[in-house]
Amino acid sequence: MSSGMHELIGRLRSLVQRRRRDREMAEELEFHQEMLRSRYLREGMSADAAKTAAKKRFGDQRRWHERLREVWQFRWLEDLTRDARFSARLLMRSPGFTTIALLTLALGVGATTAVFSLINGLLLRPLPVPDAQQMTVLHIDEGGPQANYSFCTPFFRALENRHDAFANVFAFNNDVLQVRGKVGNENIPGVLVSGQYFTAMQVAPLLGRYLTPEDDKVGGSPEGLAVVISEPFWKRWFNGEPDVVGRKLVIANTPFTVVGVMPKRFTGADPTTQPEIYAPLSSDPILDAPRDHIHAGMHAWWLTVMARLAPGMTLQQANAQLQAISEPILHAASDAASYIKDEEGRFRFGAEPGSNGFAYVRFLFRKPLVTMFAMCGGILLLACLNLTSLLMARGAARERELATRLALGATRRRLVRQLLMESLLLALAGTTFGLLAAPMVSHALAAMLLGGRRPGESVALDTSLDMRVFLFSALIAVTASVLIGLVPALRATGSELNEQIKEGQHTSRAPERRKLLPRALMTAQVALALVLVAGAGLLATSLARLYRSGLGFDPRGVVNIAFSMDKQQLEGDELIQLYRQIGDSLRTQPGVKDVSFESQVPLSHRGWNGSYSSPAGGEHLIWLNSVAPEYFRTMRIPLFKGRDFTWNDTKASGLKIILNESAAKQFFPNGEALGRQIVSVRQKTSFEVVAIVGDAKYKDVRSPAPAAAYVPIQQDQQPKLSLNAVLRVDGPWGPLVAASRSLASRLAPSIPAPVVYPIDELINNSLGTERMMAVLGIFFAACALLVTAIGLYGTLAYATSRRTAEIGIRMALGAQRSRVMTMVFRENAVVASIGCITGLAAAVMLSKLLASFLYETTPRDPLVFGGSIMLLAAIACAASFLPALRASRIEPIAAIRYE
Amino acid sequence: MRDESTDSGALLQGTLEMLILKALMRGPQHGYAVAEWIHQTSQQLLRVEEGALYPALHRLELRGLLKAEWGASENNRRAKFYQLTAEGKKRLSTETQRWARLSAAVAFVMQAS
């Protein structure tokens, strides 16, 4: 064995057997002293004298031990702990500096980690299934810019059994299922899955079996309709009873048999949903009644299709194969000749990596998340720059200490190590704080971002810290500490230190080069802060405009109550009667002023449109809504001409329609619309225009009000119409929840509990992304300003304190106090100006990236940019004022004597 | 090693280690005896400080040139006895040759007229 190995093993062993080694050392040294004593005795000393002499010769026992221990231990480990202790003491001695450093770092790290864990949960984390890398997502490429990820049933069924490249092909569709509970039906999030879904997932059920292709048939397997439930649902609904397999669940008024329970960690193929019930695809006509996506064939593009690659298959091979079968499937599965003609030659199936499943919300959130990540990165970088400048300034203040130590024989490496240790300690502590805060922050952000996309539909995202997040933050911590520490450490221990000892504070001759770096750092910081502030300003301005912009109705005090009527018995006029009863009861509730009904909720991202034509205006696609009487009064939509609907506008009384201004202008560009007819292009039925109302926003807050029309609910073609009651309420809306529940259980016992929510909430949710970005942006901007102010103040204060003597001399030679003030002030003014100019250039370039998030706001809004610059200038002035004032108060005599 | 210099000039670390290895040629010894032997054999010219002796002994043990065992000393007390390992013997012979060459060379230079 080489002596090096020997050494390592010996040291490691001594780490473990430390006590024993110490004891043996003591004994060995004791023996040596004993021998010395007996020799002195032999040489004729008295016992006492011998003892003293031996002691004297030996000196201090402790130092001995220390020296012997050094032989055995890892020298660097010792030094490291010593450095750490020393650094900690130093940091404790300047609590202000330490606190600021820790807070800024914790903020940067916490925010970055929080956003990263969101990104991780949404975009990076693989599905919790074996060999997730074999998973692929299928799409249809029609030669357009964006591939289509939605399939219709015929195409999917054709693919399902024609594949050699794939082990399994499966489809799913997230759905809300109505499950019969103790009182009426309850809405439970679920997913419809095709036969090979579970086979492809390869996750064993906790109890029972999973669904197979046998279950995915009309009417289910010979044993009847089957469902698989999730572990949480089993615990909640069946109290975790072990005999759950074989029990019945009544879904959509139809009995299903529970055949299996999936473990909690299995959340399906969409990482943003947590289905409680997995039902076979073929039962869609039952579950989604009165809708039927399967028999709608080419008209329902409702399925997400995924596939697991066969062992040994590559994505390229799979794609080649899909391409080969695309045309045949198009011809075989499609029943629409015109569609085939349209698609021929450009239609093909494709596969892309799907190891982390498929989530529609990814398309919505990828960009905002990445933008936020950049913002967080900005604040982290800012924190690092700030700390670097502050440490540098501190290093400057500690130059004499360091120089003294160098002169006493400390190596430069040693000093650099110690200074690095300081920044490492800071970085570690800061990162730890940040990490502790990160989960809370990411929860809050996830809630804001994904907050109820639609009432009754929740999006869940697992943002827990996993290995990837952890590694990420470790990387940040190390990078930050090196970023923070290395430059100041190298500078502080640089070659000019000897000069420093000789010169003390007379650094008037300090070469400009030495001043350049800290200034460049501060300039970068100011520029970065300006970018953040300007970005936040743009986002906030846009958000304010979104809220203020004309909705066309007054959302304050409007409450929606959604009734799901699709699974109960009543139809047609009877159902309308039921709605009238509900409306009458709601009107008697305390605080309710107006009540009406609508089928489409404005701003809910859902809509219904149709093509209509008039002789004068031609054919136009308009958005539609069916509403009850008094709708326009309830919503405060102005009725310009004509009359409101009444309950007498039945199917028998002739079809009526109300147009908004834009639609009226389209259909009747030159003349009176009232009393005229417009014709539905598809149904060839004609409608009489009975009123003109004001424009209101329809699908989305972000787009201007479109041309729209309203029809009476009595004349709506939909069977078993599910309507929303709209109420204008004075005071709190909370009591309405219980009231509408008892009302529903009294008048329509079988329907699920109505969902009550104020329209404001819907607007807030639909603006979740914008709100989150604006809130984060403003928060970060405020932090950036604070950090920059601290940085500017700190560096200038240090710089001035080192020039005390020089300034003293200037004053002694007759410099005016105001001159001195200006001189000091100028230092920061130059930094701030250059920083603002570079920041402005960067902000103008980067603001293009924000353009897609902005509403009625140009990415180069001069007000925002001007304001940001003013703000930063004000902050820079405030930060420079104190040091400058202090410099002007320097007493020449005291300053010079101070040396 | 910045030891306090002895009254007979500081021994270089490498040289001290060589002397220790030499002292243990004749068999296992405890630290005191090693120091004593060097002191006597050098006509009382070299005195090995305990502050240098023990770290050197431990270093050699750590590198595997010596191995140590606890045994009874001449006055019947527990003492740590060091002895050469095979590795140590090899090192001693190379050091001896190196020293001979070095001292001869230094002598030539110093005697040059």
PDB file of all heavy atoms in Angstrom, chain A residues 20-21 24 28 72, chain B residues 24 28-30 57-58 60-62 64-71 79-85:
ATOM      1  N   ARG A  20      -9.739   7.747  21.683  1.00  0.00           N
ATOM      2  CA  ARG A  20      -8.697   6.792  22.020  1.00  0.00           C
ATOM      3  C   ARG A  20      -7.328   7.373  21.681  1.00  0.00           C
ATOM      4  O   ARG A  20      -6.394   7.310  22.468  1.00  0.00           O
ATOM      5  CB  ARG A  20      -8.941   5.508  21.220  1.00  0.00           C
ATOM      6  CG  ARG A  20      -7.987   4.431  21.628  1.00  0.00           C
ATOM      7  CD  ARG A  20      -8.289   3.145  20.908  1.00  0.00           C
ATOM      8  NE  ARG A  20      -7.031   2.533  20.519  1.00  0.00           N
ATOM      9  CZ  ARG A  20      -6.929   1.665  19.541  1.00  0.00           C
ATOM     10  NH1 ARG A  20      -7.978   1.320  18.852  1.00  0.00           N
ATOM     11  NH2 ARG A  20      -5.762   1.155  19.254  1.00  0.00           N
ATOM     12  N   ARG A  21      -7.245   7.991  20.529  1.00  0.00           N
ATOM     13  CA  ARG A  21      -5.982   8.567  20.095  1.00  0.00           C
ATOM     14  C   ARG A  21      -5.517   9.633  21.093  1.00  0.00           C
ATOM     15  O   ARG A  21      -4.352   9.658  21.473  1.00  0.00           O
ATOM     16  CB  ARG A  21      -6.173   9.179  18.712  1.00  0.00           C
ATOM     17  CG  ARG A  21      -4.920   9.720  18.122  1.00  0.00           C
ATOM     18  CD  ARG A  21      -4.914   9.597  16.640  1.00  0.00           C
ATOM     19  NE  ARG A  21      -5.003   8.242  16.143  1.00  0.00           N
ATOM     20  CZ  ARG A  21      -3.975   7.397  16.122  1.00  0.00           C
ATOM     21  NH1 ARG A  21      -2.804   7.765  16.594  1.00  0.00           N
ATOM     22  NH2 ARG A  21      -4.121   6.189  15.640  1.00  0.00           N
ATOM     23  N   GLU A  24      -4.168   8.030  24.167  1.00  0.00           N
ATOM     24  CA  GLU A  24      -2.850   7.427  23.948  1.00  0.00           C
ATOM     25  C   GLU A  24      -1.765   8.482  23.852  1.00  0.00           C
ATOM     26  O   GLU A  24      -0.662   8.293  24.353  1.00  0.00           O
ATOM     27  CB  GLU A  24      -2.874   6.574  22.679  1.00  0.00           C
ATOM     28  CG  GLU A  24      -3.650   5.276  22.887  1.00  0.00           C
ATOM     29  CD  GLU A  24      -3.557   4.358  21.676  1.00  0.00           C
ATOM     30  OE1 GLU A  24      -2.971   4.782  20.663  1.00  0.00           O
ATOM     31  OE2 GLU A  24      -4.051   3.227  21.756  1.00  0.00           O
ATOM     32  N   GLU A  28       1.507   8.675  26.228  1.00  0.00           N
ATOM     33  CA  GLU A  28       2.852   8.639  25.659  1.00  0.00           C
ATOM     34  C   GLU A  28       3.690   9.801  26.185  1.00  0.00           C
ATOM     35  O   GLU A  28       4.846   9.631  26.584  1.00  0.00           O
ATOM     36  CB  GLU A  28       2.742   8.694  24.137  1.00  0.00           C
ATOM     37  CG  GLU A  28       4.041   8.394  23.433  1.00  0.00           C
ATOM     38  CD  GLU A  28       3.873   8.346  21.914  1.00  0.00           C
ATOM     39  OE1 GLU A  28       2.795   8.714  21.416  1.00  0.00           O
ATOM     40  OE2 GLU A  28       4.830   7.936  21.252  1.00  0.00           O
ATOM     41  N   TRP A  72      -2.456  14.122  12.756  1.00  0.00           N
ATOM     42  CA  TRP A  72      -3.422  13.073  12.437  1.00  0.00           C
ATOM     43  C   TRP A  72      -4.639  13.552  11.665  1.00  0.00           C
ATOM     44  O   TRP A  72      -5.345  12.761  11.076  1.00  0.00           O
ATOM     45  CB  TRP A  72      -3.905  12.417  13.737  1.00  0.00           C
ATOM     46  CG  TRP A  72      -2.848  11.540  14.268  1.00  0.00           C
ATOM     47  CD1 TRP A  72      -1.980  11.817  15.265  1.00  0.00           C
ATOM     48  CD2 TRP A  72      -2.533  10.246  13.799  1.00  0.00           C
ATOM     49  NE1 TRP A  72      -1.129  10.774  15.463  1.00  0.00           N
ATOM     50  CE2 TRP A  72      -1.458   9.794  14.578  1.00  0.00           C
ATOM     51  CE3 TRP A  72      -3.044   9.402  12.809  1.00  0.00           C
ATOM     52  CZ2 TRP A  72      -0.867   8.536  14.392  1.00  0.00           C
ATOM     53  CZ3 TRP A  72      -2.479   8.165  12.633  1.00  0.00           C
ATOM     54  CH2 TRP A  72      -1.404   7.745  13.416  1.00  0.00           C
TER      55      TRP A  72
ATOM     56  N   LEU B  24      15.847   3.445  15.008  1.00  0.00           N
ATOM     57  CA  LEU B  24      15.006   2.264  15.197  1.00  0.00           C
ATOM     58  C   LEU B  24      15.535   1.053  14.435  1.00  0.00           C
ATOM     59  O   LEU B  24      14.907  -0.007  14.444  1.00  0.00           O
ATOM     60  CB  LEU B  24      13.558   2.571  14.758  1.00  0.00           C
ATOM     61  CG  LEU B  24      12.845   3.577  15.667  1.00  0.00           C
ATOM     62  CD1 LEU B  24      11.534   4.017  15.058  1.00  0.00           C
ATOM     63  CD2 LEU B  24      12.619   2.970  17.049  1.00  0.00           C
ATOM     64  N   PRO B  28      12.680  -2.270  18.194  1.00  0.00           N
ATOM     65  CA  PRO B  28      11.639  -1.363  18.701  1.00  0.00           C
ATOM     66  C   PRO B  28      12.135  -0.490  19.855  1.00  0.00           C
ATOM     67  O   PRO B  28      12.895  -0.964  20.690  1.00  0.00           O
ATOM     68  CB  PRO B  28      10.542  -2.322  19.186  1.00  0.00           C
ATOM     69  CG  PRO B  28      10.839  -3.628  18.541  1.00  0.00           C
ATOM     70  CD  PRO B  28      12.319  -3.688  18.327  1.00  0.00           C
ATOM     71  N   GLN B  29      11.708   0.742  19.861  1.00  0.00           N
ATOM     72  CA  GLN B  29      12.088   1.677  20.928  1.00  0.00           C
ATOM     73  C   GLN B  29      10.913   2.599  21.231  1.00  0.00           C
ATOM     74  O   GLN B  29      10.100   2.856  20.359  1.00  0.00           O
ATOM     75  CB  GLN B  29      13.258   2.555  20.451  1.00  0.00           C
ATOM     76  CG  GLN B  29      14.573   1.860  20.335  1.00  0.00           C
ATOM     77  CD  GLN B  29      15.153   1.490  21.676  1.00  0.00           C
ATOM     78  OE1 GLN B  29      14.535   1.757  22.705  1.00  0.00           O
ATOM     79  NE2 GLN B  29      16.316   0.854  21.670  1.00  0.00           N
ATOM     80  N   HIS B  30      10.904   3.147  22.456  1.00  0.00           N
ATOM     81  CA  HIS B  30       9.919   4.204  22.688  1.00  0.00           C
ATOM     82  C   HIS B  30      10.566   5.553  22.409  1.00  0.00           C
ATOM     83  O   HIS B  30      11.792   5.635  22.243  1.00  0.00           O
ATOM     84  CB  HIS B  30       9.334   4.140  24.105  1.00  0.00           C
ATOM     85  CG  HIS B  30      10.349   4.022  25.191  1.00  0.00           C
ATOM     86  ND1 HIS B  30      11.194   5.037  25.527  1.00  0.00           N
ATOM     87  CD2 HIS B  30      10.644   2.969  26.002  1.00  0.00           C
ATOM     88  CE1 HIS B  30      11.964   4.657  26.513  1.00  0.00           C
ATOM     89  NE2 HIS B  30      11.668   3.381  26.817  1.00  0.00           N
ATOM     90  N   LEU B  57       7.517  11.312  14.898  1.00  0.00           N
ATOM     91  CA  LEU B  57       7.188   9.891  15.085  1.00  0.00           C
ATOM     92  C   LEU B  57       5.778   9.591  14.565  1.00  0.00           C
ATOM     93  O   LEU B  57       5.559   8.625  13.838  1.00  0.00           O
ATOM     94  CB  LEU B  57       7.271   9.525  16.568  1.00  0.00           C
ATOM     95  CG  LEU B  57       8.686   9.247  17.100  1.00  0.00           C
ATOM     96  CD1 LEU B  57       8.671   9.189  18.615  1.00  0.00           C
ATOM     97  CD2 LEU B  57       9.226   7.934  16.542  1.00  0.00           C
ATOM     98  N   HIS B  58       4.865  10.436  14.944  1.00  0.00           N
ATOM     99  CA  HIS B  58       3.475  10.199  14.520  1.00  0.00           C
ATOM    100  C   HIS B  58       3.319  10.310  13.015  1.00  0.00           C
ATOM    101  O   HIS B  58       2.571   9.550  12.404  1.00  0.00           O
ATOM    102  CB  HIS B  58       2.536  11.182  15.235  1.00  0.00           C
ATOM    103  CG  HIS B  58       2.301  10.816  16.665  1.00  0.00           C
ATOM    104  ND1 HIS B  58       1.116  11.008  17.304  1.00  0.00           N
ATOM    105  CD2 HIS B  58       3.109  10.251  17.584  1.00  0.00           C
ATOM    106  CE1 HIS B  58       1.218  10.591  18.554  1.00  0.00           C
ATOM    107  NE2 HIS B  58       2.424  10.137  18.739  1.00  0.00           N
ATOM    108  N   LEU B  60       5.587   9.636  10.797  1.00  0.00           N
ATOM    109  CA  LEU B  60       6.145   8.421  10.193  1.00  0.00           C
ATOM    110  C   LEU B  60       5.179   7.244  10.350  1.00  0.00           C
ATOM    111  O   LEU B  60       5.032   6.419   9.456  1.00  0.00           O
ATOM    112  CB  LEU B  60       7.498   8.095  10.839  1.00  0.00           C
ATOM    113  CG  LEU B  60       8.609   9.082  10.464  1.00  0.00           C
ATOM    114  CD1 LEU B  60       9.811   8.892  11.385  1.00  0.00           C
ATOM    115  CD2 LEU B  60       9.027   8.897   9.020  1.00  0.00           C
ATOM    116  N   GLU B  61       4.552   7.184  11.519  1.00  0.00           N
ATOM    117  CA  GLU B  61       3.593   6.104  11.752  1.00  0.00           C
ATOM    118  C   GLU B  61       2.419   6.238  10.771  1.00  0.00           C
ATOM    119  O   GLU B  61       1.978   5.260  10.174  1.00  0.00           O
ATOM    120  CB  GLU B  61       3.064   6.179  13.188  1.00  0.00           C
ATOM    121  CG  GLU B  61       2.106   5.056  13.526  1.00  0.00           C
ATOM    122  CD  GLU B  61       1.419   5.256  14.872  1.00  0.00           C
ATOM    123  OE1 GLU B  61       1.847   6.146  15.646  1.00  0.00           O
ATOM    124  OE2 GLU B  61       0.458   4.531  15.138  1.00  0.00           O
ATOM    125  N   LEU B  62       1.988   7.473  10.596  1.00  0.00           N
ATOM    126  CA  LEU B  62       0.844   7.738   9.719  1.00  0.00           C
ATOM    127  C   LEU B  62       1.158   7.319   8.291  1.00  0.00           C
ATOM    128  O   LEU B  62       0.317   6.802   7.578  1.00  0.00           O
ATOM    129  CB  LEU B  62       0.522   9.234   9.786  1.00  0.00           C
ATOM    130  CG  LEU B  62      -0.760   9.706   9.155  1.00  0.00           C
ATOM    131  CD1 LEU B  62      -1.939   8.990   9.764  1.00  0.00           C
ATOM    132  CD2 LEU B  62      -0.905  11.199   9.362  1.00  0.00           C
ATOM    133  N   GLY B  64       3.069   5.002   7.461  1.00  0.00           N
ATOM    134  CA  GLY B  64       3.296   3.557   7.356  1.00  0.00           C
ATOM    135  C   GLY B  64       4.753   3.175   7.320  1.00  0.00           C
ATOM    136  O   GLY B  64       5.108   2.052   6.978  1.00  0.00           O
ATOM    137  N   LEU B  65       5.640   4.101   7.674  1.00  0.00           N
ATOM    138  CA  LEU B  65       7.067   3.755   7.727  1.00  0.00           C
ATOM    139  C   LEU B  65       7.404   3.120   9.080  1.00  0.00           C
ATOM    140  O   LEU B  65       8.386   2.390   9.205  1.00  0.00           O
ATOM    141  CB  LEU B  65       7.922   5.001   7.503  1.00  0.00           C
ATOM    142  CG  LEU B  65       7.668   5.719   6.164  1.00  0.00           C
ATOM    143  CD1 LEU B  65       8.531   6.961   6.036  1.00  0.00           C
ATOM    144  CD2 LEU B  65       7.923   4.785   4.989  1.00  0.00           C
ATOM    145  N   LEU B  66       6.612   3.448  10.086  1.00  0.00           N
ATOM    146  CA  LEU B  66       6.775   2.825  11.405  1.00  0.00           C
ATOM    147  C   LEU B  66       5.472   2.183  11.789  1.00  0.00           C
ATOM    148  O   LEU B  66       4.418   2.601  11.348  1.00  0.00           O
ATOM    149  CB  LEU B  66       7.108   3.888  12.468  1.00  0.00           C
ATOM    150  CG  LEU B  66       8.327   4.768  12.274  1.00  0.00           C
ATOM    151  CD1 LEU B  66       8.441   5.743  13.434  1.00  0.00           C
ATOM    152  CD2 LEU B  66       9.573   3.937  12.151  1.00  0.00           C
ATOM    153  N   LYS B  67       5.571   1.180  12.645  1.00  0.00           N
ATOM    154  CA  LYS B  67       4.324   0.756  13.296  1.00  0.00           C
ATOM    155  C   LYS B  67       4.550   0.779  14.797  1.00  0.00           C
ATOM    156  O   LYS B  67       5.684   0.632  15.273  1.00  0.00           O
ATOM    157  CB  LYS B  67       3.849  -0.596  12.783  1.00  0.00           C
ATOM    158  CG  LYS B  67       4.744  -1.785  13.026  1.00  0.00           C
ATOM    159  CD  LYS B  67       3.956  -3.038  12.613  1.00  0.00           C
ATOM    160  CE  LYS B  67       4.714  -4.310  12.900  1.00  0.00           C
ATOM    161  NZ  LYS B  67       5.544  -4.782  11.775  1.00  0.00           N
ATOM    162  N   ALA B  68       3.486   1.008  15.524  1.00  0.00           N
ATOM    163  CA  ALA B  68       3.638   1.208  16.964  1.00  0.00           C
ATOM    164  C   ALA B  68       2.871   0.138  17.723  1.00  0.00           C
ATOM    165  O   ALA B  68       1.816  -0.309  17.289  1.00  0.00           O
ATOM    166  CB  ALA B  68       3.102   2.580  17.346  1.00  0.00           C
ATOM    167  N   GLU B  69       3.449  -0.264  18.835  1.00  0.00           N
ATOM    168  CA  GLU B  69       2.745  -1.182  19.737  1.00  0.00           C
ATOM    169  C   GLU B  69       2.973  -0.726  21.154  1.00  0.00           C
ATOM    170  O   GLU B  69       4.023  -0.182  21.466  1.00  0.00           O
ATOM    171  CB  GLU B  69       3.308  -2.601  19.579  1.00  0.00           C
ATOM    172  CG  GLU B  69       2.645  -3.382  18.461  1.00  0.00           C
ATOM    173  CD  GLU B  69       3.385  -4.692  18.196  1.00  0.00           C
ATOM    174  OE1 GLU B  69       4.234  -5.075  19.039  1.00  0.00           O
ATOM    175  OE2 GLU B  69       3.118  -5.305  17.149  1.00  0.00           O
ATOM    176  N   TRP B  70       1.992  -1.010  22.013  1.00  0.00           N
ATOM    177  CA  TRP B  70       2.171  -0.668  23.421  1.00  0.00           C
ATOM    178  C   TRP B  70       2.810  -1.865  24.113  1.00  0.00           C
ATOM    179  O   TRP B  70       2.405  -2.997  23.906  1.00  0.00           O
ATOM    180  CB  TRP B  70       0.834  -0.322  24.069  1.00  0.00           C
ATOM    181  CG  TRP B  70       0.342   1.009  23.589  1.00  0.00           C
ATOM    182  CD1 TRP B  70      -0.344   1.256  22.468  1.00  0.00           C
ATOM    183  CD2 TRP B  70       0.565   2.263  24.221  1.00  0.00           C
ATOM    184  NE1 TRP B  70      -0.591   2.591  22.323  1.00  0.00           N
ATOM    185  CE2 TRP B  70      -0.048   3.255  23.405  1.00  0.00           C
ATOM    186  CE3 TRP B  70       1.217   2.682  25.399  1.00  0.00           C
ATOM    187  CZ2 TRP B  70      -0.015   4.603  23.717  1.00  0.00           C
ATOM    188  CZ3 TRP B  70       1.226   4.030  25.712  1.00  0.00           C
ATOM    189  CH2 TRP B  70       0.617   4.986  24.860  1.00  0.00           C
ATOM    190  N   GLY B  71       3.831  -1.544  24.892  1.00  0.00           N
ATOM    191  CA  GLY B  71       4.500  -2.644  25.622  1.00  0.00           C
ATOM    192  C   GLY B  71       5.025  -2.129  26.942  1.00  0.00           C
ATOM    193  O   GLY B  71       4.837  -0.956  27.273  1.00  0.00           O
ATOM    194  N   ALA B  79       4.457   1.769  27.648  1.00  0.00           N
ATOM    195  CA  ALA B  79       5.038   2.757  26.766  1.00  0.00           C
ATOM    196  C   ALA B  79       4.739   2.360  25.332  1.00  0.00           C
ATOM    197  O   ALA B  79       4.458   1.198  25.042  1.00  0.00           O
ATOM    198  CB  ALA B  79       6.535   2.868  26.976  1.00  0.00           C
ATOM    199  N   LYS B  80       4.808   3.353  24.461  1.00  0.00           N
ATOM    200  CA  LYS B  80       4.519   3.077  23.063  1.00  0.00           C
ATOM    201  C   LYS B  80       5.831   2.804  22.360  1.00  0.00           C
ATOM    202  O   LYS B  80       6.725   3.664  22.337  1.00  0.00           O
ATOM    203  CB  LYS B  80       3.828   4.310  22.461  1.00  0.00           C
ATOM    204  CG  LYS B  80       3.189   4.068  21.126  1.00  0.00           C
ATOM    205  CD  LYS B  80       2.370   5.293  20.743  1.00  0.00           C
ATOM    206  CE  LYS B  80       1.825   5.165  19.325  1.00  0.00           C
ATOM    207  NZ  LYS B  80       1.201   6.402  18.892  1.00  0.00           N
ATOM    208  N   PHE B  81       5.969   1.600  21.805  1.00  0.00           N
ATOM    209  CA  PHE B  81       7.199   1.217  21.127  1.00  0.00           C
ATOM    210  C   PHE B  81       7.016   1.324  19.623  1.00  0.00           C
ATOM    211  O   PHE B  81       6.046   0.821  19.069  1.00  0.00           O
ATOM    212  CB  PHE B  81       7.565  -0.234  21.499  1.00  0.00           C
ATOM    213  CG  PHE B  81       8.154  -0.336  22.873  1.00  0.00           C
ATOM    214  CD1 PHE B  81       7.346  -0.472  23.984  1.00  0.00           C
ATOM    215  CD2 PHE B  81       9.538  -0.260  23.043  1.00  0.00           C
ATOM    216  CE1 PHE B  81       7.891  -0.536  25.243  1.00  0.00           C
ATOM    217  CE2 PHE B  81      10.077  -0.332  24.316  1.00  0.00           C
ATOM    218  CZ  PHE B  81       9.259  -0.476  25.425  1.00  0.00           C
ATOM    219  N   TYR B  82       7.973   1.993  19.004  1.00  0.00           N
ATOM    220  CA  TYR B  82       7.913   2.129  17.541  1.00  0.00           C
ATOM    221  C   TYR B  82       8.882   1.156  16.922  1.00  0.00           C
ATOM    222  O   TYR B  82       9.963   0.921  17.453  1.00  0.00           O
ATOM    223  CB  TYR B  82       8.306   3.553  17.126  1.00  0.00           C
ATOM    224  CG  TYR B  82       7.314   4.586  17.583  1.00  0.00           C
ATOM    225  CD1 TYR B  82       7.471   5.235  18.802  1.00  0.00           C
ATOM    226  CD2 TYR B  82       6.228   4.926  16.787  1.00  0.00           C
ATOM    227  CE1 TYR B  82       6.560   6.181  19.230  1.00  0.00           C
ATOM    228  CE2 TYR B  82       5.316   5.888  17.209  1.00  0.00           C
ATOM    229  CZ  TYR B  82       5.482   6.502  18.422  1.00  0.00           C
ATOM    230  OH  TYR B  82       4.594   7.438  18.833  1.00  0.00           O
ATOM    231  N   GLN B  83       8.515   0.555  15.757  1.00  0.00           N
ATOM    232  CA  GLN B  83       9.506  -0.224  15.027  1.00  0.00           C
ATOM    233  C   GLN B  83       9.335  -0.015  13.539  1.00  0.00           C
ATOM    234  O   GLN B  83       8.274   0.383  13.059  1.00  0.00           O
ATOM    235  CB  GLN B  83       9.400  -1.696  15.383  1.00  0.00           C
ATOM    236  CG  GLN B  83       8.114  -2.366  14.954  1.00  0.00           C
ATOM    237  CD  GLN B  83       8.072  -3.805  15.429  1.00  0.00           C
ATOM    238  OE1 GLN B  83       7.942  -4.067  16.616  1.00  0.00           O
ATOM    239  NE2 GLN B  83       8.224  -4.732  14.498  1.00  0.00           N
ATOM    240  N   LEU B  84      10.433  -0.298  12.813  1.00  0.00           N
ATOM    241  CA  LEU B  84      10.405  -0.056  11.371  1.00  0.00           C
ATOM    242  C   LEU B  84       9.503  -1.071  10.671  1.00  0.00           C
ATOM    243  O   LEU B  84       9.502  -2.249  11.033  1.00  0.00           O
ATOM    244  CB  LEU B  84      11.817  -0.199  10.787  1.00  0.00           C
ATOM    245  CG  LEU B  84      12.804   0.922  11.091  1.00  0.00           C
ATOM    246  CD1 LEU B  84      14.173   0.572  10.518  1.00  0.00           C
ATOM    247  CD2 LEU B  84      12.332   2.225  10.505  1.00  0.00           C
ATOM    248  N   THR B  85       8.781  -0.605   9.663  1.00  0.00           N
ATOM    249  CA  THR B  85       8.087  -1.556   8.793  1.00  0.00           C
ATOM    250  C   THR B  85       9.013  -1.821   7.606  1.00  0.00           C
ATOM    251  O   THR B  85      10.063  -1.177   7.483  1.00  0.00           O
ATOM    252  CB  THR B  85       6.779  -0.942   8.263  1.00  0.00           C
ATOM    253  OG1 THR B  85       7.132   0.244   7.548  1.00  0.00           O
ATOM    254  CG2 THR B  85       5.832  -0.590   9.371  1.00  0.00           C
TER     255      THR B  85
END
